[in-house]
Amino acid sequence: MKTDLCFVLTVVIFFFGVLIGTTFFTGYLGIAPEAFFPALATLFAAFLGAGLAFYLQDRKENEKETDAHVTLVNEVIATLIDNTNMLELIQRNYINPHRDKPHNCIFIESPPFEVKPYSELNVSNLHFLWGKGSAQVTYKLTQHRFNYLLTLNIINMRSKFYIEAVHPIRHSYANQKISKIEIDKVIKKLGPANYQKLSVLTEDMIQFVDNTIQAHLDYIEELHNEIKKYYPHKSVLIGRLKKE
């Protein structure tokens, strides 16, 4: 904005100088043409120099703004990748080994820690996209942030209940692995209400973990492609290919 204003002022001053010079040239002020042309040439050269300086400064400011935007986007993508890695750790180490087993809610153990985000998703990082007509991309990020936090909450709720309901039963069998204990005995000790609650929590956890991982991967690709439309020559994180 400042560069534009300075450029406009330079143009005004230039033409004002030309007007005064023309007055000299026509003889109204008694100035000979031989004295006018060098002054005009000097004024014209100064105008070109100032114009070039303003152009280079404006280009520098635009480049600086572009780099800032790309940095903000890369921070968002890096956080999304961290979120995905956290959920895949749960998926790989706890869900997948027992996903297809009958009564998998009994076999899928709880992580020995409370799951928390590595870093916070900052939606304001993408506000600059509003001016580019891509506000929908920013809105989608708020949805992904909410779904991710909800997924972590479900994991932690299920873990808390598993520790409260299943761990005492395991301890009663000298802390044997569930696979070495007759499953019907565990279910009987849990009781119908607790078993139903554990089943629902486990189903919800599996569904949210799977869906949020895929949604994150899809959104990372969408965000990458959106930014590359505006800044095709800049390096934007892509994460990795979606899981099929």
Side-chain angles (χ1 to χ4, degrees), residues 207-219:
Q207 180 180 352
F208 271 86
V209 168
D210 291 346
N211 291 346
T212 303
I213 288 173
Q214 190 61 57
H216 269 38
L217 295 174
D218 289 341
Y219 182 72

Side-chain angles (χ1 to χ4, degrees), residues 3 29 39 65 68 95 115-116 120 126 133-134 169 177 189 202 236-238:
T3 303
L29 298 181
E65 182 182 71
I95 295 175
V115 290
K116 297 179 180 179
E120 188 71 18
L126 301 186
S134 298
I169 298 175
K177 289 185 177 180
K189 284 197 173 185
T202 302
V236 182
L237 292 176
I238 183 57

Side-chain angles (χ1 to χ4, degrees), residues 60-116:
K60 181 179 179 181
E61 290 179 1
N62 287 338
E63 186 70 16
K64 184 177 179 181
E65 182 182 71
T66 296
D67 289 340
H69 289 170
V70 172
T71 297
L72 291 173
V73 171
N74 281 336
E75 287 176 359
V76 169
I77 294 178
T79 301
L80 290 166
I81 292 172
D82 284 343
N83 291 354
T84 304
N85 289 338
M86 165 64 80
L87 294 180
E88 286 187 330
L89 179 115
I90 302 296
Q91 186 187 64
R92 182 174 57 253
N93 293 341
Y94 296 93
I95 295 175
N96 287 347
H98 309 291
R99 180 188 292 270
D100 299 323
K101 290 182 179 179
H103 311 293
N104 61 1
C105 64
I106 303 295
F107 292 99
I108 297 176
E109 300 185 20
S110 62
F113 52 85
E114 182 181 5
V115 290
K116 297 179 180 179

Side-chain angles (χ1 to χ4, degrees), residues 1-9 54 57-58 61:
M1 183 63 70
K2 291 182 179 180
T3 303
D4 294 340
L5 179 60
C6 290
F7 183 75
V8 170
L9 288 175
F54 290 139
Q57 179 63 25
D58 187 59
E61 290 179 1

Side-chain angles (χ1 to χ4, degrees), residues 157-173:
M157 284 178 55
R158 195 256 177 195
S159 294
K160 184 175 182 296
F161 185 73
Y162 188 91
I163 290 171
E164 293 174 351
V166 179
H167 277 198
I169 298 175
R170 292 185 59 181
H171 286 306
S172 69
Y173 286 96

Side-chain angles (χ1 to χ4, degrees), residues 171-221:
H171 286 306
S172 69
Y173 286 96
N175 206 28
Q176 297 180 55
K177 289 185 177 180
I178 296 295
S179 58
K180 295 182 180 179
I181 304 171
E182 295 180 27
I183 194 67
D184 58 334
K185 292 182 179 179
V186 177
I187 295 175
K188 184 176 180 180
K189 284 197 173 185
L190 268 177
N194 282 343
Y195 179 77
Q196 179 63 24
K197 181 177 180 179
L198 184 61
S199 296
V200 171
L201 285 173
T202 302
E203 290 174 5
D204 288 345
M205 180 185 72
I206 294 173
Q207 180 180 352
F208 271 86
V209 168
D210 291 346
N211 291 346
T212 303
I213 288 173
Q214 190 61 57
H216 269 38
L217 295 174
D218 289 341
Y219 182 72
I220 289 171
E221 182 180 23

